[in-house]
Amino acid sequence: MWVFGYGSLIWNPEFPVAERRIARAAGWHRSFCMRSIHHRGTVRDPGLVLALDRAEGAHCDGVAFAVAPGAEAETLAGLRARELISSAYLETTLPLATAAGEVQALAYVIDPDHVQYCGGLDLEDQARIIARAAGGRGANRDYLWSTAAHLAELGIADPDLEWLAERVRALAG
């Protein structure tokens, strides 16, 4: 069983991992396009979390995780509890390109028809939301900074996330 990490799963998978590979999902991009009302924000003051948003010609680089043998059922249950806390994500299987060949991986993508979907926000608006929001798993800015740092460590460029990380640092003082 493979799982695609493109946000917090990269640095906090919360399941036993047998193998990690840099992977690319074609036709999708990583985007702060989901209002977070649980983990990184509240109903009264939503934050933003990353989601895979469909985009023709785009791609998202992240990490494909092979789940440790025997831990598949437990992993799936844990992922569903974490990722499907609301119905804004859709659970799907995506083909991922890796240096060692293609894998089919479980992935959580945004439902563009869901009320929490907010694709198209400009980066400055995203930065202002992320700088102030916090939820059950902590400050929204910590989620951004950790994701940006881990992408950089892996050599995965994401200019929008890099810009957001710097802008949120400036806003946070």
Side-chain angles (χ1 to χ4, degrees), residues 22 61 148-158 162:
I22 301 298
D61 293 330
H150 283 84
L151 288 172
E153 285 175 18
L154 294 167
I156 297 173
D158 189 317
E162 293 161 15

Side-chain angles (χ1 to χ4, degrees), residues 32-92:
F32 275 102
C33 65
M34 182 175 144
R35 287 182 186 90
S36 179
I37 58 173
H38 301 286
H39 296 317
R40 300 295 172 166
T42 65
V43 171
R44 286 185 69 183
D45 191 17
L48 295 173
V49 289
L50 293 165
L52 286 181
D53 200 3
R54 189 177 294 281
E56 191 68 35
H59 67 268
C60 176
D61 293 330
V63 178
F65 294 98
V67 176
E72 296 88 353
E74 171 188 324
T75 295
L76 186 57
L79 285 169
R80 286 178 172 163
R82 172 180 173 169
E83 304 298 334
L84 301 178
I85 192 167
S86 73
S87 55
Y89 281 132
L90 302 172
E91 185 178 271
T92 191

Side-chain angles (χ1 to χ4, degrees), residues 73-157:
E74 171 188 324
T75 295
L76 186 57
L79 285 169
R80 286 178 172 163
R82 172 180 173 169
E83 304 298 334
L84 301 178
I85 192 167
S86 73
S87 55
Y89 281 132
L90 302 172
E91 185 178 271
T92 191
T93 301
L94 297 178
L96 302 178
T98 78
E102 185 176 287
V103 298
Q104 297 294 315
L106 182 67
Y108 294 91
V109 304
I110 192 69
D111 176 354
D113 295 323
H114 196 277
V115 67
Q116 287 175 254
Y117 178 69
C118 59
L121 284 177
D122 79 14
L123 290 176
E124 183 64 29
D125 289 340
Q126 292 176 41
R128 291 185 186 286
I129 292 167
I130 292 167
R132 72 164 199 280
R137 285 186 177 245
N140 205 167
R141 63 180 175 248
D142 293 339
Y143 168 88
L144 163 64
W145 292 335
S146 195
T147 302
H150 283 84
L151 288 172
E153 285 175 18
L154 294 167
I156 297 173

